[in-house]
Amino acid sequence: MSSIEERVKKIIIEQLGVKEEQVTNDASFVDDLGADSLDTVELVMALEEEFECEIPDEDAEKITTVQQAIDYVSAHLG
Amino acid sequence: MSLDKQVALVTGASRGIGRAIAHELGREGAVVVGTATSAAGADAITQDLLAQGLRGQGLVLQVTDAASVEAAVKAVTEAFGAPTILVNNAGITRDNLLMRMKDEEWESILATNLTSVYRLSKAVIRGMMKAKYGRIINVGSVVGSMGNAGQTNYAAAKAGLLGFTKSLAREVGSRGITVNAVAPGFIDTDMTRALPDEQRAVLIGAVPLARLGSPEDVAAAVAFLASERAGYITGETLHVNGGMYMA
Ligand SMILES: NC(=O)c1ccc[n+]([C@@H]2O[C@H](COP(=O)([O-])OP(=O)(O)OC[C@H]3O[C@@H](n4cnc5c(N)ncnc54)[C@H](OP(=O)(O)O)[C@@H]3O)[C@@H](O)[C@H]2O)c1
C-alpha cells in the first residue's frame, strides 16, 4: 500500500498531466503546475474518488498546493 | 445507431415537445429517462417508451425542487449510468401584462424555466466532466430573442437561458462537453392550445412557412445537437420557428 502522499501525487500527475519531478510539496497547482480553475475542480473530484470522501466547496477552495492536498486528505482520513 | 452508448435525461417528457424529444433520442439509440411531475405521468412515460420499443423509463421530477433534482440524477445514474445528454425542456407560461403581473407569476417562471436549468446542469456536469463528453441542450424560445407583449417573465427567463448556455459552453468546452439551445417558435402543444383562436391565427400569419411547428420539428433539432456530428457546435442557438424570426 502506498502512502497518502504518494497516492495524492500520483493523482496530481495524472490529472494535470505534469512530470513527477514537478510535483514538489510546495508546488502550487495554478502557479507552478499550470492548472486552470476547472483543472483544480477536477483534481478535487479525483481526490474525492480516490479517497472515497466528500470535500466541501469551502475546503476545496483552500487546497491550492500539493502539501495542502496531502494535509487535507491525511487529516480527514485520520 | 448514433446515440447507442448515450444516456439521455429529458425533463418535461410527459407531453408536447419533451415527449417528441424523448422518442427521437430513443430512436437514435440512447437510453432515455423522461420526467413528469406526477407518478402517474412518470408511469405513462415508462409505458409509452416500452410501447415504442425504446430503452428507458419515466421518472418523477419537480424541477423547482433542489432535492428532487438531486434524487432524479442519482436515480438515473444508478439505473443506467451518469447522463451524457441532458435536455432541459420542462417549462411553463404565466402570461400577464407587466402592469398586472404578480410576484408569484414572475417568480414561478424564473424558478421553473431558468433556475431549473442551472440546477440540472450542475447536477449532471460532474459526470460529464469525468466522461470528458457531454451534450446539454436547453429549450429556449423565440420569445427570448424577439420579446412578446404579455410575456416579460417568460421572455426574461428564456433570454437568461441563452446567456447561461453561452457561459457554460465556455466553461466546459475544453472537456468535450457542448452546451447549446434550441429556440422553438410557435409549436402545436398544450402550451399554445391554451391561446384563443384569433391569437393563433395572427401568430400563424407571422410565420413564413405558414403553419405551426410540430414537436417533431423541434425534436429533430435537439437530436442533431445531441449527436456526435454536432461536436464542433457549442454556445449556439438553433432557431426552429418556420422563419417567424431570423436571427
Ligand atoms: N409550445 C410552444 O409553442 C413553445 C414555444 C417555444 C418554446 N417552448 C418551450 O418548449 C418547452 C416544452 O414546451 P411544451 O409546449 O412541450 O409544454 P407542455 O406541452 O405544456 O409540457 C410541459 C412539460 O413540462 C413539464 N413541467 C412543467 N412544470 C414542471 C416542473 N415544475 N417540474 C418538472 N417538469 C415540469 C410538464 O410535466 P407534467 O406533464 O407532469 O405537467 C410537461 O412534461 C418549454 O420549455 C417551453 O417553454 C414551447
Side-chain angles (χ1 to χ4, degrees):
Chain A
M1 197 64 194
S2 34
S3 70
I4 285 179
E5 174 158 346
E6 283 163 357
R7 285 161 72 195
V8 169
K9 285 187 173 174
K10 185 162 168 282
I11 288 172
I12 294 169
I13 292 164
E14 275 167 20
Q15 281 294 323
L16 303 183
V18 290
K19 294 200 188 69
E20 198 173 338
E21 56 269 26
Q22 288 176 273
V23 186
T24 55
N25 290 32
D26 59 358
S28 147
F29 302 134
V30 174
D31 298 334
D32 302 315
L33 302 179
D36 64 17
S37 56
L38 200 55
D39 290 323
T40 58
V41 173
E42 278 191 312
L43 182 59
V44 169
M45 273 166 48
L47 290 170
E48 288 178 331
E49 233 158 78
E50 168 75 15
F51 297 100
E52 288 169 9
C53 61
E54 209 161 301
I55 305 178
D57 289 344
E58 310 85 81
D59 290 351
E61 280 163 22
K62 292 183 206 127
I63 304 176
T64 63
T65 67
V66 176
Q67 189 61 49
Q68 283 165 354
I70 296 167
D71 289 347
Y72 185 88
V73 173
S74 308
H76 289 80
L77 289 182
Chain B
M1 268 172 295
S2 61
L3 299 180
D4 271 347
K5 291 189 198 70
Q6 311 302 329
V7 176
L9 175 58
V10 182
T11 66
S14 53
R15 46 203 167 96
I17 294 170
R19 180 163 180 261
I21 292 170
H23 286 175
E24 187 61 28
L25 296 179
R27 279 194 292 268
E28 290 291 325
V31 171
V32 181
V33 176
T35 78
T37 55
S38 68
D43 285 345
I45 292 173
T46 303
Q47 294 309 321
D48 181 46
L49 289 171
L50 199 66
Q52 306 277 329
L54 304 174
R55 295 185 298 157
Q57 67 169 68
L59 200 69
V60 175
L61 170 67
Q62 185 58 249
V63 294
T64 50
D65 177 355
S68 173
V69 169
E70 212 167 291
V73 172
K74 191 157 173 257
V76 178
T77 305
E78 278 167 10
F80 304 109
T84 49
I85 299 171
L86 168 67
V87 183
N88 282 308
N89 165 78
I92 56 169
T93 50
R94 290 277 182 281
D95 299 353
N96 214 340
L97 295 172
L98 179 69
M99 285 196 294
R100 300 230 168 87
M101 189 158 299
K102 312 280 178 293
D103 285 0
E104 187 275 324
E105 290 168 332
W106 174 265
E107 276 151 19
S108 66
I109 288 294
L110 268 288
T112 310
N113 296 2
L114 184 57
T115 306
S116 61
V117 174
Y118 149 77
R119 280 220 174 89
L120 275 140
S121 302
K122 194 171 164 190
V124 302
I125 204 79
R126 210 176 227 270
M128 291 180 178
M129 296 258 292
K130 258 198 270 172
K132 302 234 182 303
Y133 182 86
R135 295 278 186 266
I136 296 178
I137 297 134
N138 298 320
V139 179
S141 168
V142 67
V143 163
S145 303
M146 281 177 79
N148 193 20
Q151 292 198 309
T152 50
N153 52 355
Y154 183 80
K158 293 299 190 184
L161 174 149
L162 299 186
F164 176 92
T165 299
K166 293 175 189 176
S167 300
L168 184 59
R170 288 183 188 275
E171 271 185 32
V172 298
S174 65
R175 300 306 190 270
I177 303 167
T178 67
V179 189
N180 290 289
V182 168
F186 192 25
I187 310 298
D188 190 16
T189 70
D190 291 347
M191 193 176 263
T192 47
R193 273 174 220 133
L195 296 172
D197 283 349
E198 300 144 51
Q199 206 180 332
R200 283 166 66 99
V202 172
L203 278 165
I204 293 172
V207 179
L209 289 178
R211 64 170 175 91
L212 293 184
S214 67
E216 290 71 27
D217 288 327
V218 180
V222 171
F224 168 63
L225 290 172
S227 72
E228 278 187 41
R229 286 174 301 168
Y232 200 56
I233 302 174
T234 197
E236 188 55 78
T237 301
L238 188 42
H239 288 272
V240 182
N241 61 31
M244 75 181 274
Y245 171 79
M246 300 182 189

